[in-house]
Each structure stands twice: as structure tokens, then as C-alpha cells.
Amino acid sequence: MTKNEMTESYFGWMYQIICDEGPSRGRSYDRLLRYLHDTDFTYIIPMDGNRAEDGVDLRYRFGYENGYKGAVISRYLDDRPCSVLEMMVALCIRCEEHIMDDPDIGDRTGRWFWGMVRSLCLEEMDDRSFDEGYVHERVSWFLKRRYRKDGKGGLFTVKDAGRDMRSVEIWYQMCWYLDEIL
């Protein structure tokens, strides 16, 4: 297997995890998801480094689930920082498996992902409507924490957070979002 084949297989694996639910049904978001995967996840709040680590660990989960040894993943995939897509997918998996797991409801990993896309104001950026300049601006605002105090424009919009979401690590933003929707 070549590096490009491994990279495509990994991207397809992430795509499958998040595109079984949400607005993606009947619409292709390949361009948006590739943009998010091509963009490094950078962070200002030190504890958000945990989200970057989760994103890198996602590569090894892919390897484990698909029978690839760690050395192969290291050589082919672990050659760059965590991408925005990896961070988001890893966060959704962590949310579902460690907080929201409910066998009676089923897997909602895609729901958490598309909720973040909605909060980022990127829901309309399917392949037919994709505007790279707009997407670049929205993602840049997220990474630089230039979104609204309630989180709109970031990963989670919370009406009654009680604090400026821009000053809080992503994990707490997610917890406050889950508290609000439950």
C-alpha cells in the first residue's frame, strides 16, 4: 500500500464514521471534509492540546480497526500535526463513547459532528455550494477564537453558558453544549 492509498483509506474511514447521519444524507461534503483534513488544528488554550492528541490517536485507532501495525501508521499517516477534521471526529467519538453512549438510541457520532458543522456555519458548504474563501474564513475564526461569546462560529453554540466560550477549552464547551441539549 502506498502513502496516498493509506491516506485515502483513512479519510474514507473518517468520512464513514460521520456521514451516516445529519445533513450529509443525499449531499456530498467531500470538499468541505477534505479542506478540514488539509488544515492543521492549532489552538490557543493549552488544554486544547488534548484534543490534538486525540486526533493523532485517531490514526492509530484506524490502524487497529483495519489491521495495520503501529509502525505502518507512523510511517504513512503520522507525519503531520492533527488536522481540524481529525480533532473534530476524535472529539465526536469521545463524546459518544465516554459520555453519551446509549445502546437504546444507537451511535450518534455523526450527530455530534454535524452539530459542530452547523455551529461553525458551514452546513451549507456541500460540494455544489462549496466556497473555499468562506470556509477558510470560518475555520480561521474558529482557530483564532474570533467567534461569538455564545460559541456561534466555533464548535458549540450554548445560549446560557454563563461564560465567554472563547476563553474556555473545547472539552468544557462540549460539556456545556450537552448539558443544554439534554
Side-chain angles (χ1 to χ4, degrees), residues 40-122:
D40 291 347
F41 172 61
T42 57
Y43 51 92
I44 296 168
I45 296 182
M47 291 302 288
D48 285 341
N50 294 324
R51 305 293 61 84
E53 289 177 21
D54 285 348
V56 170
D57 289 345
L58 189 64
R59 301 167 187 174
Y60 292 90
R61 179 176 178 149
F62 160 77
Y64 177 78
E65 289 184 7
N66 289 280
Y68 298 115
K69 295 189 182 301
V72 173
I73 297 302
S74 179
R75 184 172 65 233
Y76 288 137
L77 296 179
D78 206 0
D79 61 347
R80 61 170 286 206
C82 174
S83 73
V84 172
L85 180 64
E86 288 174 305
M87 181 278 299
M88 291 173 67
V89 172
L91 181 60
C92 292
I93 290 170
R94 187 172 284 277
C95 173
E96 181 62 23
E97 293 180 352
H98 296 271
I99 299 173
M100 299 302 293
D101 183 40
D102 185 339
D104 292 336
I105 295 173
D107 188 339
R108 294 168 289 177
T109 306
R111 175 181 175 186
W112 312 130
F113 181 84
W114 293 105
M116 286 190 264
V117 169
R118 216 171 4 270
S119 184
L120 285 163
C121 305
L122 294 173

Side-chain angles (χ1 to χ4, degrees), residues 8-60:
E8 280 302 306
S9 180
Y10 177 51
F11 178 81
W13 178 80
M14 287 189 290
Y15 197 103
Q16 177 188 352
I17 289 171
I18 57 177
C19 286
D20 286 344
E21 186 173 328
S24 64
R25 289 188 179 198
R27 295 165 72 182
S28 173
Y29 283 87
D30 189 72
R31 293 177 70 188
L32 173 63
L33 298 180
R34 286 187 187 280
Y35 182 91
L36 295 173
H37 191 51
D38 290 341
T39 303
D40 291 347
F41 172 61
T42 57
Y43 51 92
I44 296 168
I45 296 182
M47 291 302 288
D48 285 341
N50 294 324
R51 305 293 61 84
E53 289 177 21
D54 285 348
V56 170
D57 289 345
L58 189 64
R59 301 167 187 174
Y60 292 90

